[in-house]
């Protein structure tokens, strides 16, 4: 899957969603799990904003929730989180 940010409207994943995927991957690496609250804290946004984005990503098949409501990345979500680099400006 190739992501071309110049063709933004054709991407399956928004810039914001990529930040969410990376945050989930980092949280899982750092503490072993990721919850909506943890993602919100890491991204410094509201839990409601995270929930809205995660709902769309679940429908697209990038994120799943386990029976305890912990967030898991699907293989597609892992690929995006691990291969996308976000540079601070």
């Amino acid at each position: 899957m190739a992501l071309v940010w110049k063709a933004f409207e054709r991407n399956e994943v928004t810039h914001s969603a990529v930040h969410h995927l990376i945050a989930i991957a980092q949280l899982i690496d750092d503490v072993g799990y990721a919850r909506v609250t943890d993602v919100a804290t890491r991204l410094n946004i509201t839990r409601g904003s995270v929930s809205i984005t995660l709902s769309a990503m679940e429908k697209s098949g990038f994120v799943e929730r386990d029976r305890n409501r912990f967030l898991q990345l699907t293989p597609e979500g892992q690929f995006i989180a691990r291969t996308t680099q976000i540079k601070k400006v």
Side-chain angles (χ1 to χ4, degrees):
M1 172 181 3
L3 296 176
V4 179
W5 295 109
K6 291 180 183 178
F8 183 78
E9 66 279 354
R10 289 182 278 178
N11 284 333
E12 291 183 43
V13 183
T14 66
H15 187 83
S16 175
V18 171
H19 280 277
H20 285 66
L21 293 171
I22 291 170
I24 293 167
Q26 289 173 342
L27 285 162
I28 292 169
D29 288 347
D30 293 349
V31 295
Y33 61 89
R35 301 172 298 176
V36 169
T37 300
D38 304 317
V39 175
T41 300
R42 178 142 316 195
L43 296 178
N44 197 30
I45 59 176
T46 66
R47 289 187 314 262
S49 294
V50 172
S51 292
I52 290 168
T53 301
L54 289 177
S55 178
M57 290 194 303
E58 284 179 290
K59 289 178 185 172
S60 297
F62 298 115
V63 176
E64 299 173 334
R65 295 179 203 235
D66 68 16
R67 63 188 170 119
N68 296 313
R69 310 227 4 108
F70 290 112
L71 303 170
Q72 300 293 324
L73 297 176
T74 64
E76 294 86 359
Q78 288 177 14
F79 174 80
I80 293 168
R82 304 287 184 211
T83 59
T84 304
Q85 294 181 8
I86 297 177
K87 295 181 182 179
K88 291 186 179 184
V89 179

